[in-house]
Amino acid sequence: MGWSTREIAQLAGTTLRAVRHYHDIGLLTEPPRRTNGYKQYGVAHLVRILRIRRLTELGFSLSQIATMQDTDNQPVEALRTLDAELATTIERLQRARLELGVILRQPTPAELPPGVVTPDVVSTMPPADRSFVVVLTRVLGADTMRAWGDMLRKPVTDPVAERFDTLPADADAQARAAVARDLAPYVRTLLAENPGVRITNAGTRYSARYVEQAVGKALSELYNPAQLDVLRRTHRLLSEPRD
């Protein structure tokens, strides 16, 4: 007497649905049927199901198991490949744990690489500035981003920065011109003290045009029309020769 589908599933520690699925995808051959039409599973089927379960527990997909021969008691090459994949996964997870440890010790937004901006600085940054820095981390080289990090760690002392941050979208031309006039010398000082923050493609795989377009897109999405006008006015003022 053989086992029924329910009995073979119970004996193998799996489910009826799993056994039927193995049949559907060709991993398990159909057993002979009794005169009443019920399937009659034997020892070979039990061994096959247990083999499938063991290999899936090790991490093999059903499609990978389908390529293995039943005669291979120990699919050595497949196991070596899986071992290498698991080693890579473990290494990646260990790196992730180290980064999580840094974030937990110094809570910064998960989208920012560790160490770019200290938590106390992040807590004072307007959302637009924080998002802009995130974009910069994706398009600037390591040296340029390091210079940005050094600059951002310094406290902002000029009140014109807050005036820019709070400038409403419908600010009139006079208000925008006034902010730009006061912002220009502040930015000039920042550039003099932090020459490495100038936007460039140095140390990246991107073209200068790509970096420029990415930064321009970020600015246009993150800041309101009045602020963008102030940035344009400030740029023009910085380009003019000083007396």
Side-chain angles (χ1 to χ4, degrees):
M1 293 290 291
W3 295 294
S4 67
T5 307
R6 184 178 301 277
E7 289 170 336
I8 196 74
Q10 184 177 8
L11 196 59
T14 188
T15 63
L16 280 170
R17 182 176 180 181
V19 174
R20 289 165 180 160
H21 183 59
Y22 298 156
H23 282 309
D24 292 339
I25 62 177
L27 278 181
L28 189 64
T29 59
E30 287 287 336
R33 292 180 180 269
R34 301 173 185 170
T35 55
N36 59 8
Y38 288 106
K39 293 177 181 177
Q40 184 172 313
Y41 291 89
V43 173
H45 294 98
L46 176 62
V47 171
R48 177 61 174 168
I49 295 171
L50 290 173
R51 176 186 173 88
I52 293 169
R53 287 201 62 212
R54 177 58 176 159
L55 291 174
T56 54
E57 287 172 355
L58 288 173
F60 288 102
S61 67
L62 294 180
S63 59
Q64 289 175 313
I65 296 173
T67 64
M68 300 178 188
Q69 299 294 326
D70 280 336
T71 54
D72 296 335
N73 291 327
Q74 297 292 339
V76 178
E77 289 303 317
L79 289 172
R80 285 175 178 166
T81 301
L82 179 62
D83 181 62
E85 292 174 355
L86 290 174
T88 302
T89 300
I90 291 170
E91 183 180 355
R92 176 178 58 79
L93 292 174
Q94 287 175 334
R95 288 197 305 269
R97 286 201 68 198
L98 290 175
E99 291 192 11
L100 283 173
V102 172
I103 293 173
L104 291 172
R105 288 192 300 273
Q106 298 181 342
T108 56
E111 65 270 15
L112 279 172
V116 174
V117 187
T118 57
D120 56 325
V121 173
V122 172
S123 64
T124 62
M125 291 175 68
D129 290 354
R130 192 164 59 199
S131 296
F132 182 65
V133 172
V134 170
V135 174
L136 293 183
T137 64
R138 307 309 304 168
V139 297
L140 297 184
D143 291 340
T144 307
M145 203 59 237
R146 195 174 298 112
W148 271 87
D150 292 340
M151 181 180 70
L152 291 171
R153 292 186 188 97
K154 300 173 185 176
V156 178
T157 56
D158 197 314
V160 71
E162 184 177 356
R163 287 167 56 198
F164 174 80
D165 292 335
T166 58
L167 188 68
D170 59 354
D172 59 30
Q174 185 176 358
R176 287 179 270 145
V179 175
R181 183 181 62 249
D182 295 338
L183 188 63
Y186 173 61
V187 173
R188 184 178 284 115
T189 300
L190 285 178
L191 292 175
E193 294 176 350
N194 307 275
V197 300
R198 294 184 181 276
I199 302 298
T200 173
N201 68 323
T204 75
R205 64 180 184 275
Y206 305 118
S207 67
R209 180 175 176 77
Y210 180 89
V211 173
E212 181 182 349
Q213 288 178 336
V215 172
K217 178 175 176 59
L219 290 172
S220 64
E221 288 190 15
L222 294 171
Y223 298 96
N224 68 45
Q227 290 172 318
L228 292 174
D229 183 56
V230 167
L231 292 178
R232 285 189 288 267
R233 290 170 182 264
T234 302
H235 179 72
R236 287 196 295 271
L237 290 171
L238 292 173
S239 302
E240 295 175 356
R242 289 182 292 174
D243 294 335

